[in-house]
Coordinates of all heavy atoms in Angstrom, one line a residue:
R223 N 43.6 15.0 9.2 CA 43.7 14.0 8.0 C 42.6 14.4 7.1 O 41.5 14.8 7.5 CB 43.4 12.6 8.6 CG 44.6 12.2 9.3 CD 44.3 10.6 9.6 NE 45.4 10.1 10.3 CZ 46.1 8.9 9.9 NH1 45.6 8.3 9.0 NH2 47.2 8.6 10.5
R224 N 42.7 14.1 5.9 CA 41.7 14.2 4.8 C 40.6 13.2 5.0 O 41.0 12.1 5.5 CB 42.3 14.2 3.4 CG 43.2 15.4 3.2 CD 43.9 15.2 1.8 NE 44.6 14.0 1.7 CZ 44.9 13.4 0.5 NH1 44.5 14.0 -0.6 NH2 45.5 12.3 0.3
Q225 N 39.5 13.5 4.8 CA 38.3 12.7 5.0 C 37.3 12.7 3.8 O 37.2 13.7 3.2 CB 37.7 13.1 6.3 CG 36.6 12.1 6.8 CD 36.0 12.8 8.0 OE1 34.9 13.0 8.2 NE2 36.9 13.0 9.1
V226 N 36.7 11.5 3.6 CA 35.6 11.6 2.6 C 34.4 10.7 3.2 O 34.7 9.7 3.8 CB 36.2 10.9 1.3 CG1 36.4 9.4 1.5 CG2 35.1 11.1 0.1
G227 N 33.2 11.3 2.8 CA 32.0 10.5 3.2 C 31.5 9.7 2.0 O 31.5 10.2 1.0
I228 N 31.2 8.4 2.4 CA 30.7 7.5 1.4 C 29.2 7.0 2.1 O 29.3 6.3 3.0 CB 31.5 6.4 1.1 CG1 32.8 6.8 0.5 CG2 30.8 5.4 0.2 CD1 33.8 5.8 0.2
V229 N 28.2 7.4 1.4 CA 26.9 6.8 1.8 C 26.1 6.4 0.6 O 26.3 6.7 -0.6 CB 26.1 7.9 2.5 CG1 26.7 8.4 3.8 CG2 25.9 9.1 1.6
G230 N 25.1 5.5 0.9 CA 24.3 5.0 -0.3 C 23.2 4.1 0.2 O 22.8 4.2 1.4
A231 N 22.6 3.4 -0.7 CA 21.4 2.7 -0.5 C 21.7 1.5 0.5 O 22.6 0.9 0.5 CB 20.9 2.1 -1.8
R232 N 20.6 1.3 1.4 CA 20.6 0.1 2.3 C 20.4 -1.1 1.5 O 21.0 -2.2 1.8 CB 19.7 0.3 3.4 CG 20.0 1.4 4.3 CD 19.0 1.6 5.5 NE 19.5 2.6 6.4 CZ 18.7 3.3 7.1 NH1 17.3 3.2 7.1 NH2 19.2 4.1 7.9
A233 N 19.6 -1.1 0.6 CA 19.4 -2.3 -0.3 C 20.1 -2.2 -1.6 O 19.6 -2.2 -2.7 CB 17.8 -2.3 -0.6
A234 N 21.4 -2.1 -1.4 CA 22.4 -2.0 -2.6 C 22.6 -3.2 -3.3 O 22.6 -4.3 -2.7 CB 23.7 -1.5 -2.1
S235 N 22.9 -3.2 -4.5 CA 23.2 -4.3 -5.4 C 24.6 -4.8 -5.0 O 25.5 -4.1 -4.3 CB 23.2 -4.0 -6.8 OG 24.4 -3.0 -7.1
A236 N 24.9 -6.1 -5.4 CA 26.1 -6.6 -5.1 C 27.2 -5.9 -5.7 O 28.4 -5.6 -5.2 CB 26.2 -8.2 -5.5
A237 N 27.0 -5.4 -6.8 CA 28.0 -4.6 -7.6 C 28.2 -3.2 -7.0 O 29.4 -2.8 -6.8 CB 27.5 -4.3 -9.1
G238 N 27.1 -2.6 -6.5 CA 27.3 -1.3 -5.8 C 28.2 -1.5 -4.5 O 29.0 -0.7 -4.1
Q239 N 27.9 -2.6 -3.7 CA 28.7 -2.9 -2.6 C 30.2 -3.2 -2.8 O 31.1 -2.7 -2.1 CB 28.0 -4.1 -1.8 CG 26.7 -3.7 -1.2 CD 26.0 -4.8 -0.4 OE1 26.7 -5.4 0.6 NE2 24.8 -5.2 -0.9
R240 N 30.4 -3.9 -4.0 CA 31.7 -4.2 -4.3 C 32.5 -2.8 -4.7 O 33.6 -2.7 -4.3 CB 31.8 -5.2 -5.6 CG 33.3 -5.6 -5.9 CD 33.3 -6.5 -7.1 NE 33.0 -5.7 -8.2 CZ 31.9 -5.6 -9.0 NH1 30.9 -6.5 -8.7 NH2 31.8 -5.0 -10.1
I241 N 31.8 -2.0 -5.4 CA 32.3 -0.7 -5.8 C 32.7 0.0 -4.5 O 33.8 0.7 -4.4 CB 31.5 0.1 -6.7 CG1 31.6 -0.7 -8.1 CG2 31.9 1.5 -6.9 CD1 30.5 -0.2 -9.1
A242 N 31.9 0.1 -3.6 CA 32.0 0.8 -2.3 C 33.2 0.4 -1.6 O 34.1 1.1 -1.0 CB 30.7 0.9 -1.5
E243 N 33.3 -1.0 -1.5 CA 34.5 -1.5 -0.8 C 35.8 -1.3 -1.6 O 36.8 -0.9 -0.9 CB 34.3 -3.1 -0.8 CG 33.3 -3.7 0.0 CD 33.0 -5.2 0.0 OE1 33.6 -5.8 -0.8 OE2 32.0 -5.6 0.6
E244 N 35.9 -1.4 -2.8 CA 37.1 -1.1 -3.6 C 37.5 0.3 -3.5 O 38.7 0.7 -3.3 CB 36.9 -1.5 -5.1 CG 36.8 -3.1 -5.2 CD 36.4 -3.4 -6.7 OE1 36.2 -2.6 -7.5 OE2 36.3 -4.7 -6.8
L245 N 36.5 1.3 -3.6 CA 36.8 2.6 -3.5 C 37.3 3.0 -2.2 O 38.3 3.8 -2.1 CB 35.4 3.4 -3.8 CG 35.6 5.0 -3.7 CD1 36.6 5.4 -4.7 CD2 34.2 5.6 -4.0
S246 N 36.7 2.4 -1.1 CA 37.2 2.8 0.2 C 38.6 2.2 0.4 O 39.4 2.9 1.1 CB 36.2 2.1 1.3 OG 34.9 2.7 1.3
A247 N 38.8 1.1 0.0 CA 40.2 0.5 0.1 C 41.2 1.4 -0.7 O 42.3 1.7 -0.1 CB 40.2 -0.9 -0.5
A248 N 41.0 1.9 -1.8 CA 41.8 2.7 -2.5 C 42.0 4.1 -1.8 O 43.2 4.6 -1.6 CB 41.3 2.9 -3.9
L249 N 41.0 4.5 -1.2 CA 41.0 5.9 -0.6 C 42.0 5.8 0.6 O 42.7 6.7 0.9 CB 39.6 6.4 -0.2 CG 38.8 6.9 -1.5 CD1 37.3 7.0 -1.1 CD2 39.3 8.2 -1.9
T250 N 41.6 4.7 1.4 CA 42.4 4.6 2.7 C 43.9 4.3 2.3 O 44.8 4.7 3.1 CB 41.9 3.5 3.6 OG1 41.8 2.3 2.9 CG2 40.5 3.9 4.1
A251 N 44.2 3.6 1.2 CA 45.5 3.3 1.0 C 46.2 4.7 0.5 O 47.4 4.8 0.7 CB 45.6 2.5 -0.4
A252 N 45.5 5.8 0.3 CA 46.0 7.0 -0.1 C 46.0 7.9 1.1 O 46.3 9.1 1.1 CB 45.1 7.7 -1.3
G253 N 45.7 7.3 2.2 CA 45.7 8.1 3.5 C 44.4 8.8 3.9 O 44.5 9.7 4.7
I254 N 43.4 8.6 3.1 CA 42.1 9.3 3.4 C 41.2 8.4 4.3 O 41.1 7.3 4.1 CB 41.4 9.6 2.1 CG1 42.4 10.4 1.1 CG2 40.0 10.2 2.3 CD1 41.8 10.6 -0.2
V255 N 40.7 9.2 5.3 CA 39.7 8.5 6.3 C 38.4 8.3 5.6 O 37.8 9.4 5.1 CB 39.7 9.3 7.6 CG1 38.7 8.7 8.5 CG2 41.1 9.4 8.2
V256 N 37.7 7.2 5.7 CA 36.4 7.1 5.2 C 35.4 7.2 6.3 O 35.5 6.6 7.3 CB 36.3 5.6 4.4 CG1 34.9 5.3 4.1 CG2 37.2 5.5 3.3
T257 N 34.4 8.0 6.1 CA 33.4 8.3 7.1 C 32.0 7.9 6.4 O 31.8 8.1 5.2 CB 33.3 9.7 7.4 OG1 34.6 10.1 8.0 CG2 32.2 10.0 8.4
S258 N 31.1 7.2 7.2 CA 29.8 6.8 6.7 C 29.0 6.5 7.9 O 29.5 6.4 9.0 CB 30.0 5.4 5.7 OG 28.7 5.4 5.1
G259 N 27.8 6.3 7.6 CA 26.8 5.8 8.6 C 27.1 4.3 8.8 O 28.0 3.7 8.2
L260 N 26.5 3.6 9.7 CA 26.8 2.3 10.0 C 25.6 1.4 9.5 O 25.3 0.3 10.1 CB 27.0 2.1 11.4 CG 27.8 0.7 11.8 CD1 29.2 0.7 11.1 CD2 28.0 0.5 13.3
A261 N 24.8 1.9 8.5 CA 23.7 1.2 8.0 C 24.1 -0.1 7.2 O 25.2 -0.1 6.7 CB 22.8 2.1 7.2
R262 N 23.2 -0.9 6.9 CA 23.7 -2.0 6.0 C 23.6 -1.4 4.5 O 23.3 -0.4 4.2 CB 22.7 -3.2 6.1 CG 21.1 -2.7 5.7 CD 20.1 -3.9 5.9 NE 20.0 -4.3 7.2 CZ 19.1 -4.0 8.1 NH1 18.2 -3.0 7.7 NH2 18.9 -4.5 9.2
G263 N 24.2 -2.2 3.7 CA 24.4 -1.8 2.4 C 25.6 -1.2 1.9 O 26.7 -1.5 2.4
I264 N 25.6 0.1 1.3 CA 26.9 0.8 0.9 C 27.6 1.2 2.2 O 28.9 1.1 2.1 CB 26.4 2.0 -0.1 CG1 25.8 1.5 -1.3 CG2 27.7 2.9 -0.3 CD1 26.6 0.7 -2.2
D265 N 26.9 1.7 3.2 CA 27.6 2.2 4.3 C 28.5 1.1 4.8 O 29.8 1.4 5.2 CB 26.7 2.8 5.5 CG 25.9 3.9 5.0 OD1 25.9 4.3 3.8 OD2 25.3 4.6 5.9
A266 N 27.9 0.0 5.2 CA 28.7 -1.2 5.7 C 29.9 -1.6 4.8 O 31.0 -1.9 5.2 CB 27.8 -2.4 6.1
A267 N 29.5 -1.6 3.5 CA 30.6 -1.9 2.6 C 31.8 -0.9 2.5 O 32.9 -1.4 2.5 CB 30.0 -2.1 1.2
A268 N 31.5 0.3 2.7 CA 32.5 1.3 2.8 C 33.4 1.2 3.9 O 34.6 1.2 3.8 CB 31.9 2.8 2.8
H269 N 32.8 0.9 5.1 CA 33.6 0.6 6.4 C 34.4 -0.7 6.2 O 35.6 -0.8 6.5 CB 32.7 0.5 7.6 CG 32.1 1.8 8.0 ND1 32.8 2.9 8.3 CD2 30.8 2.1 8.1 CE1 31.9 3.8 8.6 NE2 30.7 3.4 8.4
G270 N 33.8 -1.7 5.6 CA 34.4 -3.0 5.4 C 35.7 -2.9 4.5 O 36.7 -3.4 4.8
G271 N 35.5 -2.2 3.4 CA 36.5 -2.0 2.5 C 37.8 -1.2 3.2 O 38.9 -1.6 3.0
A272 N 37.4 -0.2 3.9 CA 38.5 0.6 4.6 C 39.3 -0.3 5.6 O 40.5 -0.3 5.7 CB 38.0 1.8 5.3
L273 N 38.5 -1.0 6.4 CA 39.1 -1.9 7.5 C 40.0 -3.0 6.8 O 41.0 -3.3 7.3 CB 38.0 -2.4 8.4 CG 37.3 -1.4 9.3 CD1 36.1 -2.0 10.0 CD2 38.3 -0.7 10.2
N274 N 39.4 -3.6 5.8 CA 40.2 -4.7 5.2 C 41.5 -4.2 4.5 O 42.4 -4.9 4.4 CB 39.3 -5.3 4.0 CG 38.2 -6.1 4.5 OD1 38.3 -6.6 5.8 ND2 37.1 -6.4 3.8
A275 N 41.6 -2.8 4.1 CA 42.8 -2.3 3.6 C 43.6 -1.8 4.8 O 44.5 -1.1 4.5 CB 42.4 -1.3 2.7
Q276 N 43.2 -2.0 6.1 CA 44.1 -1.6 7.1 C 44.0 0.0 7.4 O 44.9 0.6 7.8 CB 45.5 -2.0 7.1 CG 45.7 -3.4 6.8 CD 45.0 -4.4 7.8 OE1 45.4 -4.3 9.1 NE2 44.2 -5.2 7.4
G277 N 42.8 0.5 6.8 CA 42.7 1.9 6.7 C 41.8 2.4 7.9 O 41.5 1.7 8.8
R278 N 41.7 3.7 8.0 CA 40.9 4.4 9.2 C 39.5 4.6 8.6 O 39.3 5.0 7.4 CB 41.5 5.6 9.6 CG 43.0 5.2 10.2 CD 43.6 6.4 10.9 NE 42.9 6.7 12.0 CZ 43.3 7.5 12.9 NH1 44.5 8.1 12.8 NH2 42.5 7.7 14.1
T279 N 38.6 4.5 9.5 CA 37.1 4.8 9.1 C 36.5 5.3 10.3 O 36.8 5.0 11.5 CB 36.5 3.4 8.7 OG1 35.2 3.8 8.3 CG2 36.5 2.4 9.7
I280 N 35.5 6.2 10.1 CA 34.7 6.8 11.2 C 33.2 6.4 10.9 O 32.7 6.7 9.8 CB 34.9 8.3 11.3 CG1 36.3 8.7 11.6 CG2 33.8 9.0 12.3 CD1 36.6 10.1 11.4
A281 N 32.5 5.9 11.9 CA 31.1 5.6 11.8 C 30.3 6.6 12.5 O 30.5 6.9 13.6 CB 30.9 4.2 12.4
V282 N 29.4 7.1 11.7 CA 28.4 8.1 12.3 C 27.2 7.3 12.7 O 26.6 6.6 12.0 CB 27.9 9.1 11.3 CG1 26.8 10.1 11.8 CG2 29.3 9.9 10.7
I283 N 27.1 7.2 14.1 CA 26.0 6.3 14.7 C 24.8 7.0 15.1 O 25.0 8.0 15.9 CB 26.7 5.4 15.8 CG1 27.7 4.7 15.2 CG2 25.6 4.5 16.5 CD1 28.7 4.0 16.3
A284 N 23.6 6.7 14.6 CA 22.4 7.4 15.0 C 21.9 7.0 16.4 O 21.4 7.9 17.1 CB 21.3 7.0 14.1
G285 N 22.1 5.9 17.0 CA 21.8 5.4 18.3 C 23.0 5.5 19.2 O 24.1 6.0 18.9
G286 N 22.8 4.9 20.3 CA 23.9 4.8 21.3 C 25.0 3.7 21.0 O 24.6 2.7 20.3
L287 N 26.1 3.8 21.5 CA 27.1 2.8 21.3 C 26.8 1.4 21.9 O 27.3 0.4 21.5 CB 28.5 3.2 21.9 CG 29.1 4.4 21.2 CD1 30.2 4.9 22.1 CD2 29.5 4.1 19.8
D288 N 25.8 1.4 22.8 CA 25.4 0.1 23.5 C 24.4 -0.5 22.8 O 24.1 -1.7 23.2 CB 25.0 0.4 25.0 CG 23.8 1.4 25.0 OD1 23.7 2.1 24.1 OD2 23.1 1.4 26.0
E289 N 23.8 -0.1 21.7 CA 22.8 -0.8 20.9 C 23.2 -0.6 19.5 O 22.6 0.3 18.8 CB 21.4 -0.1 21.2 CG 20.9 -0.2 22.5 CD 20.5 -1.8 22.8 OE1 20.1 -2.5 21.8 OE2 20.5 -2.2 23.9
P290 N 24.0 -1.5 18.9 CA 24.3 -1.5 17.5 C 23.1 -1.5 16.6 O 22.2 -2.4 16.9 CB 25.3 -2.7 17.4 CG 25.6 -3.1 18.7 CD 24.5 -2.6 19.7
Y291 N 22.9 -0.7 15.6 CA 22.0 -0.7 14.6 C 22.5 -0.6 13.2 O 23.2 0.3 13.1 CB 20.9 0.3 15.0 CG 19.7 0.3 14.0 CD1 18.7 -0.7 14.4 CD2 19.8 1.0 12.8 CE1 17.6 -0.8 13.4 CE2 18.7 0.9 12.0 CZ 17.7 -0.1 12.3 OH 16.6 -0.3 11.5
P292 N 22.0 -1.5 12.4 CA 21.3 -2.7 12.6 C 22.1 -3.6 13.3 O 23.3 -3.7 13.3 CB 20.9 -3.1 11.2 CG 22.2 -2.6 10.3 CD 22.5 -1.4 11.0
P293 N 21.4 -4.6 14.2 CA 22.1 -5.6 14.9 C 23.1 -6.5 14.1 O 24.1 -6.9 14.6 CB 21.0 -6.4 15.5 CG 19.8 -5.6 15.5 CD 20.0 -4.7 14.3
T294 N 22.8 -6.6 12.8 CA 23.6 -7.5 11.9 C 25.0 -6.8 11.7 O 26.0 -7.4 11.4 CB 23.1 -7.7 10.6 OG1 22.8 -6.3 10.0 CG2 21.7 -8.5 10.7
N295 N 25.2 -5.5 12.1 CA 26.3 -4.9 11.9 C 27.2 -4.6 13.3 O 28.2 -3.9 13.4 CB 26.2 -3.4 11.3 CG 26.0 -3.5 9.8 OD1 26.2 -4.6 9.2 ND2 25.6 -2.4 9.2
A296 N 26.8 -5.4 14.3 CA 27.5 -5.3 15.5 C 28.9 -5.6 15.6 O 29.7 -4.9 16.2 CB 26.7 -6.2 16.6
A297 N 29.2 -6.7 14.8 CA 30.7 -7.0 14.7 C 31.5 -5.9 13.9 O 32.6 -5.6 14.3 CB 30.9 -8.4 14.0
L298 N 30.9 -5.4 12.9 CA 31.4 -4.2 12.1 C 31.7 -3.0 13.1 O 32.8 -2.3 13.1 CB 30.7 -3.9 11.0 CG 31.2 -2.7 10.0 CD1 32.6 -3.1 9.4 CD2 30.2 -2.5 8.9
Q299 N 30.7 -2.7 13.9 CA 30.8 -1.6 14.9 C 31.9 -1.8 15.9 O 32.6 -0.9 16.2 CB 29.5 -1.4 15.6 CG 29.5 -0.1 16.5 CD 28.2 0.1 17.2 OE1 27.1 0.1 16.5 NE2 28.2 0.4 18.5
A300 N 32.0 -3.1 16.3 CA 33.1 -3.4 17.3 C 34.5 -3.1 16.7 O 35.3 -2.7 17.3 CB 33.0 -4.7 17.8

């Protein structure tokens, strides 16, 4: 499958997060897999946009699967 990486600031603006969500949703609608870290901010927004659009996403996780980081993204990781 085709794939695109979307990464950005952890302390992203609301507008930046909205754009990442909308971009991810549009890309997954076109059959493209969205890949990003699982950090807060743009990364989380990219995953959320892909998942909300019923698309596929791949999270690049720095730690182990048993310790979600940041803890606030545990539900997103699941």
Side-chain angles (χ1 to χ4, degrees):
R223 290 185 176 226
R224 294 180 301 159
Q225 184 180 126
V226 65
I228 298 178
V229 295
R232 290 181 175 153
S235 67
Q239 291 180 56
R240 187 184 74 252
I241 290 168
E243 289 173 4
E244 292 173 358
L245 179 60
S246 292
L249 288 166
T250 58
I254 298 171
V255 177
V256 173
T257 301
S258 190
L260 200 59
R262 59 181 66 93
I264 296 297
D265 292 17
H269 291 298
L273 293 171
N274 288 339
Q276 311 300 299
R278 297 186 72 166
T279 183
I280 297 172
V282 179
I283 301 173
L287 292 175
D288 58 339
E289 290 293 329
Y291 184 83
T294 54
N295 285 351
L298 183 59
Q299 180 174 320

